[in-house]
């Protein structure tokens, strides 16, 4: 089975799971009735582009904010210079992001993952994203800015799906993100559950918390809170001195096996692992193969963990980036590197930097 078919099947599974989640929910059903035809149109657009010689990934990652109200230990966005640093560059305006959303939608991109910094600091962009019913926007958030007004906004724009970043329970999450963070996340989850709004959890997996976050009762607790999506993100040591937290090859393999079993046990929940699920997709999905990353200043990067760009979306089009020799060369590097677990381009960053030189 080729990559496109596998990714299309993955999207179908995500939508089926969302359908089960929204069973008996009037607003949820209305959202599904409107979004499912749009997902079919996006798939048709990608197939048309493929026939015409352009591979369009179904996903993009967009870091829309360069600032954050927290200072989490080991943050890849801060370590990579995309968050909390003075770069001399200006963040893209909402209208510029709208231009990117327009281009992506016309090409057939179905999901744009919004990250940061803290994306809820850019309500102007989130308000704009809510006006694109043909695109689903998972919003990766620390969960501390979801007041009642924001919850009401999400209730009216079901294509915006909050994904809360956690490390486990209160102790594990607060130790990395600050005291009281998990309490705020739980309050936001309770408010979303009350309104029957789909949300998810992004769980950073390290050597220290892997045993906890992969337990069946841990996911059962999340499910009871109303969580419908669980993403296991292997920790990438972007910050110097945190290498001891990175999973080894045996642990990565174990995580993949556990996720396979969890998917069987939790049919009403979308469960994905990254970059673990890349293995069944034939390797690294960065550089336009499955997605690419746009930083707050418009730089087109292969991956959040590989923040190296030669093109910028304020002057270049999404299509030009996908057709670029740079991304082609990066895909070849990733292919040659093989799939040995962990983040491929992060592991071969010397070769990526050579391309820039």
């Amino acid at each position: 089975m080729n990559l496109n078919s596998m990714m299309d099947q993955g999207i179908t599974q995500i939508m089926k799971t969302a359908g089960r989640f929204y069973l008996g929910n009037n607003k949820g059903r209305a959202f599904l009735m409107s979004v499912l035809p749009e997902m079919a149109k996006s798939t048709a657009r990608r197939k048309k582009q493929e026939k015409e010689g352009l591979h369009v990934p179904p996903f993009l990652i967009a870091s829309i904010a360069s600032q954050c109200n927290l200072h989490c230990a080991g943050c890849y966005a801060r370590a990579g210079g995309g968050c909390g640093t003075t770069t001399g560059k200006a963040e893209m305006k909402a209208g510029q992001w709208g231009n990117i959303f327009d281009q992506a939608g016309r090409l057939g991109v179905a999901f744009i993952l919004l990250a940061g910094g803290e994306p809820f600091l850019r309500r102007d962009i989130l308000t704009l994203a809510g006006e694109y019913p043909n695109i689903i926007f998972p919003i990766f958030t620390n969960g501390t800015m979801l007041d009642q007004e924001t919850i009401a906004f999400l209730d009216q724009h079901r294509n915006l799906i909050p994904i809360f970043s956690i490390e486990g329970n209160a102790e594990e999450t607060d130790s990395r993100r600050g005291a009281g963070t998990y309490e705020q996340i739980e309050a936001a989850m309770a408010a979303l559950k009350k309104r029957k709004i789909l949300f998810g959890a992004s769980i950073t997996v390290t050597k220290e918390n892997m045993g906890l976050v992969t337990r069946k009762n841990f996911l059962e607790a999340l499910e009871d809170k109303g969580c419908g999506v669980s993403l296991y993100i292997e920790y990438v040591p972007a910050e110097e001195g945190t290498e001891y937290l990175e999973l080894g090859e045996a642990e990565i393999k174990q995580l993949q096996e556990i996720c396979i079993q969890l998917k069987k046990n939790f049919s009403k929940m979308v469960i994905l692992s990254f970059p673990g699920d890349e293995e069944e997709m034939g390797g690294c999905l960065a550089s336009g193969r499955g997605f690419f990353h746009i930083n707050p200043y418009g730089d087109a990067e292969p991956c959040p963990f590989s923040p190296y760009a030669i093109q910028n979306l304020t002057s270049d089009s999404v299509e030009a980036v996908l057709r670029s020799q740079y991304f082609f060369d990066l895909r070849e590097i990733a292919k040659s590197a093989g799939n040995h677990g962990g983040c491929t381009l992060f592991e071969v960053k010397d070769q990526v930097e050579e391309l820039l030189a």
Side-chain angles (χ1 to χ4, degrees):
M1 185 183 297
N2 65 32
L3 175 68
N4 293 337
S5 297
M6 292 179 75
M7 297 202 82
D8 288 344
Q9 280 193 10
I11 291 171
T12 299
Q13 189 58 44
I14 290 171
M15 298 315 297
K16 282 183 178 178
T17 303
R20 286 192 290 269
F21 182 90
Y22 275 137
L23 195 65
N25 179 334
N26 290 336
K27 283 189 177 179
R29 280 204 307 271
F31 161 68
L32 287 170
M33 291 292 287
S34 65
V35 79
L36 289 175
E38 296 296 339
M39 291 293 103
K41 290 177 188 175
S42 294
T43 299
R45 290 187 188 108
R46 291 196 303 276
K47 288 180 178 178
K48 180 176 182 291
Q49 296 290 347
E50 196 80 35
K51 288 180 181 178
E52 295 174 358
L54 175 65
H55 174 69
V56 175
F59 297 89
L60 289 182
I61 304 175
S63 291
I64 59 175
S66 67
Q67 301 301 312
C68 185
N69 60 324
L70 298 184
H71 201 303
C72 305
C75 175
Y76 74 84
R78 287 189 188 275
C83 173
T85 55
T86 303
T87 63
K89 298 179 180 179
E91 281 190 1
M92 284 202 295
K93 293 180 171 58
Q96 291 172 305
W97 281 110
N99 183 35
I100 291 170
F101 299 162
D102 285 338
Q103 293 179 53
R106 287 197 300 270
L107 288 170
V109 173
F111 292 79
I112 300 181
L113 286 61
L114 302 181
E118 171 50 51
F120 278 97
L121 287 170
R122 292 299 306 269
R123 276 292 297 271
D124 55 340
I125 299 170
L126 298 183
T127 299
L128 186 66
E131 297 172 6
Y132 286 82
N134 60 322
I135 300 173
I136 293 176
F137 294 88
I139 308 170
F140 286 73
T141 175
N142 60 41
T144 63
M145 299 187 67
L146 275 72
D147 55 21
Q148 289 304 312
E149 180 191 351
T150 303
I151 300 290
F153 167 72
L154 293 170
D155 196 9
Q156 296 302 315
H157 300 89
R158 297 289 176 120
N159 66 319
L160 308 183
I161 302 174
I163 308 290
F164 297 101
S165 298
I166 61 175
E167 273 67 46
N169 296 318
E171 180 182 350
E172 295 78 18
T173 300
D174 287 1
S175 67
R176 184 183 182 199
R177 300 181 179 273
T181 301
Y182 193 78
E183 185 179 357
Q184 292 181 73
I185 292 171
E186 282 201 313
M189 287 181 172
L192 291 166
K193 181 181 180 180
K194 186 176 180 180
R195 291 184 183 244
K196 298 180 180 178
I197 299 172
L198 176 64
F199 67 86
S202 172
I203 306 158
T204 307
V205 186
T206 69
K207 280 182 181 290
E208 292 182 342
N209 72 353
M210 180 171 154
L212 167 67
V213 300
T214 55
R215 290 178 193 158
K216 187 179 178 183
N217 63 357
F218 177 80
L219 274 192
E220 285 173 343
L222 278 179
E223 193 171 49
D224 287 344
K225 291 180 173 75
C227 181
V229 181
S230 289
L231 307 176
Y232 286 104
I233 312 294
E234 297 166 25
Y235 180 74
V236 175
E239 185 176 306
E240 200 170 322
T242 61
E243 293 81 5
Y244 69 96
L245 293 170
E246 185 179 16
L247 301 181
E249 287 190 32
E251 290 158 323
I252 290 171
K253 188 67 176 174
Q254 183 185 6
L255 177 61
Q256 291 171 353
E257 292 170 355
I258 291 171
C259 284
I260 289 171
Q261 189 57 48
L262 289 174
K263 289 174 185 179
K264 294 176 182 176
N265 293 336
F266 292 86
S267 62
K268 293 182 180 179
M269 183 182 282
V270 176
I271 299 174
L272 301 170
S273 69
F274 180 81
D277 281 343
E278 288 186 334
E279 184 171 342
E280 64 182 86
M281 301 286 187
C284 178
L285 294 174
S287 312
R289 188 166 176 262
F291 65 87
F292 72 87
H293 176 241
I294 307 166
N295 75 12
Y297 318 107
D299 295 324
E301 302 169 345
C303 174
F305 300 122
S306 186
Y308 304 100
I310 62 171
Q311 288 174 284
N312 187 283
L313 272 300
T314 60
S315 54
D316 293 299
S317 68
V318 173
E319 181 175 343
V321 169
L322 291 172
R323 292 189 185 277
S324 71
Q325 185 66 38
Y326 175 54
F327 271 17
F328 175 83
D329 291 341
L330 287 171
R331 291 192 293 270
E332 290 299 304
I333 287 174
K335 191 189 301 182
S336 299
N339 192 8
H340 49 78
C343 178
T344 303
L345 290 180
F346 184 83
E347 297 292 338
V348 295
K349 61 182 178 181
D350 289 347
Q351 294 181 54
V352 178
E353 289 171 351
E354 281 178 20
L355 276 185
L356 295 173

